[in-house]
């Protein structure tokens, strides 16, 4: 699926050069594999207007939510893990 680029406010690139983007009003995170125009929604719950995102040196994804003022960490060591942990509020 080609994911429209409207409503994207945050972008980050992981160590493997995959691109991750926040879909602010849809409350989702989309992953674009390196070299691909096709994105896949990888996180679609637990977010509240995600704005910014980034990775730590271990590859964990951090997402800043506008509503509620939280930062949620998604552990990338677990395959298919879409349950985040609030690490700041």
């Amino acid at each position: 699926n080609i994911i429209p680029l409207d409503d994207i406010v945050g972008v980050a690139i992981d160590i493997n050069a995959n691109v991750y983007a926040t879909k602010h009003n849809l409350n989702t995170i989309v992953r674009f594999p390196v070299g691909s125009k096709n994105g896949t929604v990888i996180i679609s719950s637990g977010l509240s207007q995600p704005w910014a995102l980034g990775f730590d040196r271990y590859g964990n994804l951090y997402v800043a939510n506008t509503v509620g003022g939280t930062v949620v960490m998604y552990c990338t060591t677990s395959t298919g893990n879409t349950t985040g942990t609030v690490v700041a509020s």
Side-chain angles (χ1 to χ4, degrees):
N1 297 338
I2 295 178
I3 304 291
L5 296 179
D6 62 325
D7 190 39
I8 289 179
V9 294
V11 175
I13 300 172
D14 70 11
I15 195 167
N16 297 313
N18 298 302
V19 176
Y20 294 75
T22 63
K23 296 287 283 179
H24 184 68
N25 289 322
L26 295 178
N27 299 317
T28 58
I29 303 297
V30 179
R31 177 181 175 264
F32 295 87
V34 65
S36 177
K37 294 179 183 177
N38 297 328
T40 302
V41 173
I42 60 163
I43 301 169
S44 61
S45 64
L47 297 175
S48 187
Q49 294 186 332
W51 192 262
L53 66 165
F55 291 92
D56 66 15
R57 66 181 179 161
Y58 304 106
N60 298 312
L61 175 64
Y62 293 81
V63 180
N65 286 308
T66 303
V67 176
T70 60
V71 176
V72 182
M73 180 190 77
Y74 295 89
C75 181
T76 56
T77 58
S78 301
T79 305
N81 181 15
T82 57
T83 302
T85 302
V86 174
V87 295
S89 60

